[in-house]
Amino acid sequence: MASATDTALVSEDTSETEAVAAGAVGLAAVLFALSLASVFELVTITDPVAGVPMVALLGGLLVVLGFAVVTFGVGSRLGYVATDPRPTAGLVASTAFGLVWFVVGGLVASQSLGFGTAGWVIGALVTGGAAFAVSAFPREDIGSTLPAGGLALFAGIVFLTGVIGPSWVWNLGWEQQASFNAEFTIPVLTAFCSLLVGWAAAKAYGGFGARGRHVGAYVLVYLNAISIIALLFLLVAFTVLKGLPGLFNGFAFGAGAGPEVTLVGLTFSLPVSWPFVMNGVALLNDVNGVLPAIAGTIWLVIGAVLFAVPLGVGAAVFITEYADRGRFTQVVEIATNGLWSTPSIVFGLFGLAFLVPRLGNQKSLLAGMLTLGFMLLPLVVITSRESMLAVPDEYRDASAALGVTKWQTIRSIVLPASLPGIVTGIILGVGRIAGETAPILLTMSGSVAPPGSQTVDVLGGFQFQSAPPFVTNPELMQATSALPYQLYSLITAGVGQSSNIGAIDEFRWATALILLVVVLGFYAVGIATRYYFRSKLQHD
Amino acid sequence: MSETRQTTDDAQATTDSELAGGASPGTDQPLEVTSGETRERTREEWVEHEFEGEAKLSVSDLDVYYGDDHALKGVSMEIPENSVTALIGPSGCGKSTFLRCLNRMNDRIKAASIDGSVQLEGEEIYQDGVNLVELRKRVGMVFQSPNPFPKSIADNISYGPRKHGDLDTGLLANLLGRSDDDAVDELVERSLRQAALWDEVQDRLDDNALGLSGGQQQRLCIARALATDPEVLLMDEPASALDPIATSKIEDLVHDLAEEYTVVIVTHNMQQAARISDQTAVFLTGGELVEYGDTDQVFEDPQSQRVEDYISGKFG
Ligand SMILES: Nc1ncnc2c1ncn2[C@@H]1O[C@H](COP(=O)(O)OP(=O)(O)O)[C@@H](O)[C@H]1O
Ligand SMILES: [Mg+2]
């Protein structure tokens, strides 16, 4: 049996006390998940869970947890539980507990007891100081369990007794009429307390000491990572759930269900009818859609990439491989970094003031492409340069020693080796430009809700003629929509426009979902491309 | 031959005047270079090496500076055809620098400036209008750490000839029916056989070269250098990053290559130099060529006290 002074090299099988601590960690994790779920209103705090209202459940669990952790700490101090604690919980933990209890004391004194400034400061100092002292001076087993478990107990009792009940509102009394309601406060407090108490339980599970700290940190980091991923996932899930009904409104499947198309002289009906992505907005439509905006976004991104990538990679080749490293490359580096952080509205203004007057003096797809291309350019330069610098000089030496010229070396060795990095840059950049609204608003946008007939058809728009400039494409010169702009204009449009569309809220969410899908589609293409280039460079 | 003789005389004259002017007793600072080395003046006859046949490379009065750092001091030496010449010496004495002068790889180092003459079969390579592509095709190089390209084994081999336009395998060539695919296969096999690698990799020519072991990668680099059909092969410590078995394979290979190629190999391993080379050049700290001659003579009966100390392990 491991004792406080002499740690066994091999710890024995899970003892009962360890099982209790592990159970507490698990319970804290469950509680954390529950509170996150109620922040996002997946469960409401008044909903009964297994016959008990959610608030009571949260409060009860907090009390149980807090009690368990405190008991464990006291038991360890009194020698009933074999652990390996250090003399103190440490300054960081003590300060954190001190601050937490300072806030608790201050809030109770000022809000619940109604003390004035002097009163609540004294109350806060007393509780904060006590928590700091309890944490810093006794042995680690008391110091890390008592303040955490105490907080959980306190919060649990507050919830259980209804001091903070479902109808509780904390009016901040500010000019802006700001207030916190229970729907938000209770889950957030629970999440916070469960993190703290979970950490304390994890330390207890590790038997305090170095191993306990390790386990404690592990649980904290793990819970954090999971909750962040869960948050992101919820964000996407939220959009998907809200968007799906609008997206599949009027969706039909089967032979001849879809609209007629003509391909290579053959006219036939598509086997699917998907109004939201096949229609524009028109009075006679059964279901309105965003086809023009989808086409606009896709062409916009393609055009910007086609414009920015050759230019950006070329510039990167020049400053990396040809220009002497020195003042000049430094200036270029600073300038590109600065350009990348330039707000998009500035690029939009540039497009409006410089490009639009020169491109037919009207907003157009081409102007939007170029504006976004300019936005993309610095990132392409930065990432291309970085990945070219990462290509080992040994390759260049080997190539030169074979008598191969510099340009051929760049083309056959340096560029292929840096392609995955370049593609990564493009992926990141496309993620940004595909969602841009401001530049599009200024350089390319047409009507708020364009009809299907306004869908750009860039490929079909090329016209050849015998006089210069020989090739023209009126489609490129046409004002059109893009998904982020459409979303923005739907949100800001007046009632008149909205009534045209019908279920406007559904329509907006579906538009957001389609934007998400289009951007993720570009990501998928980019990642597949990168995977392909990378697999050519690596063995297996 | 008489012309090279002439340059050697010039070299002697320069060294003599240096000895007279700069290294008078009491001020012979340059010769007392590193602690542990005996003071001694380098004699001209120590670096004269008599051999039969033609000199493939003749170097005379070669000085290299890196900025203000005088890395090679008046090196003159004649390297015979189809033989193995080993360059040995303590690290930092300029062996790699010397080697890089022979195919003008030093041109790639901004700080380096080179003064003197290097002739490849009587043709000066340090003059205006030298075609570096042609020079490096004739004088191939293998580096210290294996550096295959992140491409397939076959592509590594065919890279040089392809870029030189000696082989045509692009899409256009295929369309025009002018593709040299068969020639490529032949070249790959021949080069890999020469580098004693064919048996090990013949089933995976399309695999990425980075998947080979270190020793295999280095032999691939040798094969890659051989593929451009060079006359001279420069090797800078080609086995220093390899295990003993891979090293001995490289040594055997170097030995075989000397039948067709002029091999100049840098090594810090004296046993290796003694095993594989026909003649040995000893550079010592300060960038001087101190002794050059038949390998047997240099190792068994060195004329210079410092070389003897170095070879017997007193410093280095
Ligand atoms: N690229 C370089 N730039 C500046 N100095 C160099 C460079 N390469 C070598 N040197 C210097 O030249 C001297 C000889 O170096 P090197 O030829 O690499 O020696 P070795 O190969 O015998 O170890 C050393 O003093 C080294 O510091
Ligand atoms: Mg070296």
Side-chain angles (χ1 to χ4, degrees):
Chain A
M1 193 77 199
S3 77
T5 48
D6 178 25
T7 316
L9 186 61
V10 184
S11 51
E12 286 152 39
D13 288 349
T14 319
S15 64
E16 285 156 30
T17 45
E18 264 187 344
V20 170
V25 175
L27 205 56
V30 170
L31 193 55
F32 185 66
L34 272 180
S35 51
L36 278 192
S38 37
V39 171
F40 283 89
E41 297 170 15
L42 297 181
V43 280
T44 23
I45 53 171
T46 43
D47 273 352
V49 179
V52 206
M54 191 66 186
V55 201
L57 184 69
L58 294 180
L61 284 178
L62 276 176
V63 169
V64 170
L65 265 175
F67 185 73
V69 167
V70 171
T71 314
F72 199 102
V74 173
S76 159
R77 183 70 189 91
L78 298 180
Y80 296 120
V81 185
T83 51
D84 184 23
R86 299 225 180 130
T88 167
L91 198 61
V92 177
S94 313
T95 313
F97 281 132
L99 279 176
V100 169
W101 276 100
F102 179 88
V103 173
V104 171
L107 285 177
V108 170
S110 66
Q111 302 301 315
S112 308
L113 307 178
F115 290 174
T117 310
W120 79 251
V121 168
I122 291 172
L125 280 177
V126 167
T127 49
F132 181 85
V134 167
S135 179
F137 298 122
R139 224 168 61 171
E140 188 187 15
D141 41 7
I142 293 287
S144 48
T145 54
L146 228 50
L151 186 69
L153 270 174
F154 179 70
I157 290 169
V158 164
F159 295 161
L160 280 180
T161 53
V163 175
I164 296 183
S167 54
W168 175 88
V169 172
W170 177 20
N171 201 322
L172 295 173
W174 293 343
E175 255 179 78
Q176 294 91 339
Q177 304 273 311
S179 63
F180 288 120
N181 61 6
E183 294 274 323
F184 176 75
T185 311
I186 292 179
V188 167
L189 286 181
T190 312
F192 183 73
C193 291
S194 61
L195 269 187
L196 268 189
V197 85
W199 170 78
K203 275 187 99 170
Y205 172 76
F208 305 102
R211 184 157 173 267
R213 286 170 191 217
H214 166 75
V215 179
Y218 183 80
V219 164
L220 265 194
V221 171
Y222 209 72
L223 280 181
N224 258 318
I226 291 202
S227 61
I228 287 169
I229 292 169
L231 269 176
L232 293 178
F233 183 78
L234 274 173
L235 212 87
V236 174
F238 195 69
T239 314
V240 171
L241 284 180
K242 289 267 201 180
L244 277 180
L247 184 59
F248 286 104
N249 203 351
F251 183 82
F253 188 77
E260 285 195 343
V261 289
T262 310
L263 262 186
V264 245
L266 230 67
T267 304
F268 58 95
S269 289
L270 289 177
V272 278
S273 166
W274 193 354
F276 189 77
V277 282
M278 290 177 173
N279 288 350
V281 173
L283 268 181
L284 295 177
N285 282 349
D286 291 335
V287 180
N288 285 308
V290 290
L291 175 62
I294 296 176
T297 293
I298 292 177
W299 279 114
L300 197 55
V301 169
I302 292 178
V305 167
L306 285 183
F307 170 70
V309 170
L311 274 184
V313 173
V317 165
F318 175 74
I319 53 176
T320 316
E321 302 287 330
Y322 288 101
D324 285 339
R325 218 163 284 184
R327 187 61 37 95
F328 173 70
T329 50
Q330 268 175 352
V331 168
V332 171
E333 213 155 275
I334 293 171
T336 43
N337 285 336
L339 275 178
W340 176 239
S341 0
T342 301
S344 58
I345 186 86
V346 177
F347 281 97
L349 280 173
F350 163 75
L352 180 67
F354 185 83
L355 293 175
V356 170
R358 282 163 180 78
L359 297 170
N361 212 5
Q362 59 169 11
K363 294 183 186 179
S364 64
L365 179 58
L366 187 60
M369 284 173 169
L370 293 181
T371 307
L372 292 190
F374 279 119
M375 271 186 68
L376 187 57
L377 197 53
L379 187 71
V380 174
V381 174
I382 294 169
T383 50
S384 309
R385 178 165 154 70
E386 218 110 277
S387 51
M388 282 177 209
L389 286 176
V391 175
D393 270 340
E394 278 84 50
Y395 293 165
R396 298 186 179 88
D397 283 343
S399 186
L402 287 168
V404 175
T405 58
K406 189 162 192 166
W407 169 240
Q408 279 178 318
T409 304
I410 292 170
R411 236 194 46 195
S412 332
I413 305 292
V414 178
L415 280 183
S418 46
L419 266 178
I422 296 174
V423 173
T424 304
I426 300 173
I427 294 175
L428 289 175
V430 163
R432 180 177 174 195
I433 62 167
E436 275 306 337
T437 312
I440 296 170
L441 179 75
L442 294 176
T443 57
M444 162 176 137
S445 58
S447 60
V448 171
S453 61
Q454 273 187 24
T455 307
V456 283
D457 177 13
V458 174
L459 287 184
F462 282 105
Q463 291 169 2
F464 301 92
Q465 59 199 48
S466 55
F470 304 113
V471 188
T472 55
N473 194 338
E475 295 284 332
L476 282 175
M477 305 309 291
Q478 176 189 321
T480 185
S481 190
L483 286 166
Y485 168 73
Q486 173 123 30
L487 197 53
Y488 163 80
S489 56
L490 285 174
I491 292 169
T492 52
V495 184
Q497 279 291 352
S498 313
S499 62
N500 244 350
I501 289 168
I504 183 70
D505 207 42
E506 251 184 21
F507 195 82
R508 284 179 194 143
W509 280 109
T511 310
L513 179 55
I514 275 287
L515 174 59
L516 201 68
V517 169
V518 169
V519 172
L520 290 181
F522 278 120
Y523 266 50
V525 171
I527 288 170
T529 319
R530 180 172 61 184
Y531 178 79
Y532 170 75
F533 286 133
R534 207 172 261 170
S535 69
K536 288 219 310 194
L537 291 176
Q538 285 167 348
H539 57 97
D540 307 307
Chain B
M1 202 62 208
S2 67
E3 201 181 301
T4 37
R5 197 64 249 161
Q6 181 61 43
T7 46
T8 316
D9 285 342
D10 284 351
Q12 182 146 24
T14 327
T15 319
D16 281 345
S17 65
E18 266 177 9
L19 282 178
S24 55
T27 60
D28 53 354
Q29 220 57 21
L31 296 179
E32 188 194 8
V33 202
T34 308
S35 58
E37 286 188 39
T38 327
R39 288 189 204 179
E40 169 185 77
R41 284 179 199 175
T42 314
R43 298 237 198 97
E44 198 50 45
E45 61 263 28
W46 295 345
V47 298
E48 269 168 30
H49 172 48
E50 302 290 329
F51 53 85
E52 291 170 15
E54 297 286 311
K56 189 78 188 178
L57 285 160
S58 21
V59 179
S60 48
D61 277 339
L62 190 69
D63 283 275
V64 178
Y65 302 83
Y66 292 109
D68 292 335
D69 183 12
H70 199 170
L72 273 188
K73 294 176 186 151
V75 174
S76 300
M77 127 184 214
E78 308 235 314
I79 295 170
E81 209 172 24
N82 295 357
S83 66
V84 179
T85 306
L87 310 179
I88 63 172
S91 76
C93 65
K95 306 180 296 290
S96 303
T97 301
F98 178 77
L99 202 69
R100 284 200 300 264
C101 286
L102 301 182
N103 66 346
R104 291 190 60 169
M105 281 296 276
N106 272 336
D107 292 15
R108 292 170 54 74
I109 299 174
K110 290 247 161 51
S113 62
I114 295 120
D115 194 15
S117 145
V118 177
Q119 296 184 339
L120 176 62
E121 289 189 330
E123 266 187 290
E124 178 61 48
I125 67 168
Y126 283 98
Q127 63 178 336
D128 291 343
V130 171
N131 181 349
L132 286 186
V133 173
E134 200 55 33
L135 171 68
R136 289 175 186 160
K137 270 166 79 174
R138 289 175 63 185
V139 184
M141 189 168 205
V142 176
F143 295 82
Q144 182 164 1
S145 52
N147 57 356
F149 299 126
K151 296 172 179 289
S152 74
I153 294 172
D155 283 349
N156 262 280
I157 305 280
S158 60
Y159 176 77
R162 235 184 258 240
K163 297 298 149 193
H164 297 148
D166 298 345
L167 288 174
D168 214 354
T169 54
L171 183 63
L172 194 63
N174 269 323
L175 290 180
L176 296 177
R178 269 209 321 247
S179 170
D180 294 329
D181 282 340
D182 292 343
V184 171
D185 293 346
E186 214 174 285
L187 171 83
V188 169
E189 177 168 352
R190 192 185 69 227
S191 307
L192 286 172
R193 277 193 195 282
Q194 275 182 308
L197 190 59
W198 173 254
D199 294 337
E200 289 160 62
V201 301
Q202 57 171 316
D203 303 326
R204 43 177 177 145
L205 294 176
D206 291 327
D207 287 6
N208 196 302
L210 299 182
L212 298 176
S213 75
Q216 289 173 327
Q217 288 190 7
Q218 193 61 299
R219 276 179 285 150
L220 178 66
C221 291
I222 295 174
R224 182 177 65 186
L226 294 177
T228 58
D229 199 20
E231 299 155 28
V232 181
L233 199 56
L234 309 175
M235 299 175 143
D236 193 349
E237 308 197 21
S240 68
L242 306 180
D243 62 85
I245 294 175
T247 301
S248 84
K249 282 191 184 161
I250 301 271
E251 285 181 13
D252 293 346
L253 178 58
V254 167
H255 188 261
D256 296 342
L257 289 175
E259 287 180 13
E260 267 185 78
Y261 303 90
T262 306
V263 180
V264 184
I265 181 168
V266 172
T267 169
H268 58 234
N269 178 337
M270 281 178 272
Q271 285 77 24
Q272 188 175 64
R275 274 196 301 269
I276 61 177
S277 67
D278 300 309
Q279 53 275 325
T280 299
V282 187
F283 288 75
L284 289 182
T285 314
E288 278 179 288
L289 173 61
V290 178
E291 187 153 354
Y292 174 48
D294 262 340
T295 298
D296 294 342
Q297 176 260 309
V298 170
F299 278 96
E300 277 156 28
D301 180 25
Q303 292 166 298
S304 154
Q305 184 60 39
R306 285 159 73 202
V307 169
E308 182 160 355
D309 289 351
Y310 174 66
I311 287 171
S312 58
K314 285 208 183 137
F315 69 93

